[in-house]
Amino acid sequence: MTSPSDALRAVAVTVSDRSSDGRREDESGRILVAALEALGYAVTGLVVVPDGVESVAGALRNAVEDGARLVVTTGGTGMGPRDLTPEGTRQVITRDNPGLAELLRREGSRHTPYAAVSRGLVGVVDWPSERGHGGTLVLNLPGRPSAVQEGMDVLGPLLGHLLAQVSGGDH
């Protein structure tokens, strides 16, 4: 598949206490990596971190510093006391895109009413001018394996256009 995403690096981040300590297999991360690769992205790794603001923010900062153009998280977007992926993401992004986050919730609600519970964010980490033009697009998806696939099905067709815009391309 040839697309603007072919040369772009992506990082997948699973946010889960149970997956990070080995109590549960990371099925959502596996699905996320497969979906990104199917779209033509060079996935440089699957990072698994425990729930929490600092663990999420740290994983995002590391991915941005390593030059990832796309970072997609799975997990930690619900209402549980440790579901703090949006709070960690908010510490790192410089601009948010509530329309895309709402699109994910709306389309997800076609599959389950629980999609409305997701507090996931979509935003951009703008790179400093000395790094060149552009930035990193960050997407938060729920942790349910089917929600990962559904979310990537919704966003996949938009990613090339979004990343072109983040790089300064025309609308």
Side-chain angles (χ1 to χ4, degrees):
M1 169 179 201
T2 303
S3 74
S5 63
D6 286 340
L8 298 181
R9 292 183 44 225
V11 173
V13 179
T14 296
V15 182
S16 167
D17 286 336
R18 290 178 288 177
S19 291
S20 70
D21 69 11
R23 288 182 284 157
R24 179 177 67 194
E25 182 182 343
D26 179 18
E27 184 180 352
S28 295
R30 181 182 53 76
I31 291 168
L32 177 56
V33 168
L36 289 166
E37 289 175 341
L39 289 168
Y41 291 89
V43 181
T44 58
L46 171 60
V47 178
V48 181
V49 298
D51 289 288
V53 173
E54 291 307 317
S55 59
V56 170
L60 295 178
R61 285 184 186 110
N62 287 341
V64 170
E65 288 170 11
D66 288 344
R69 296 299 313 282
L70 174 63
V71 181
V72 185
T73 70
T74 175
T77 64
M79 295 299 297
R82 292 199 33 85
D83 287 338
L84 299 170
T85 298
E87 287 73 16
T89 300
R90 196 169 283 115
Q91 286 191 2
V92 179
I93 61 173
T94 51
R95 295 181 287 142
D96 69 339
N97 187 315
L100 287 173
E102 292 308 318
L103 175 65
L104 285 168
R105 283 185 271 281
R106 184 178 69 242
E107 293 302 312
S109 71
R110 296 178 192 271
H111 302 278
T112 176
Y114 296 114
V117 176
S118 176
R119 300 177 311 109
L121 302 175
V122 176
V124 172
V125 180
D126 292 303
W127 290 354
S129 58
E130 62 270 11
R131 273 190 79 179
H133 198 61
T136 302
L137 180 64
V138 178
L139 311 167
N140 296 155
L141 297 176
R144 190 170 47 88
S146 59
V148 171
Q149 188 61 60
E150 292 159 8
M152 291 304 298
D153 289 345
V154 168
L155 292 174
L158 303 173
L159 289 176
H161 178 71
L162 290 166
L163 288 164
Q165 283 190 327
V166 169
S167 297
D170 198 5
H171 304 308

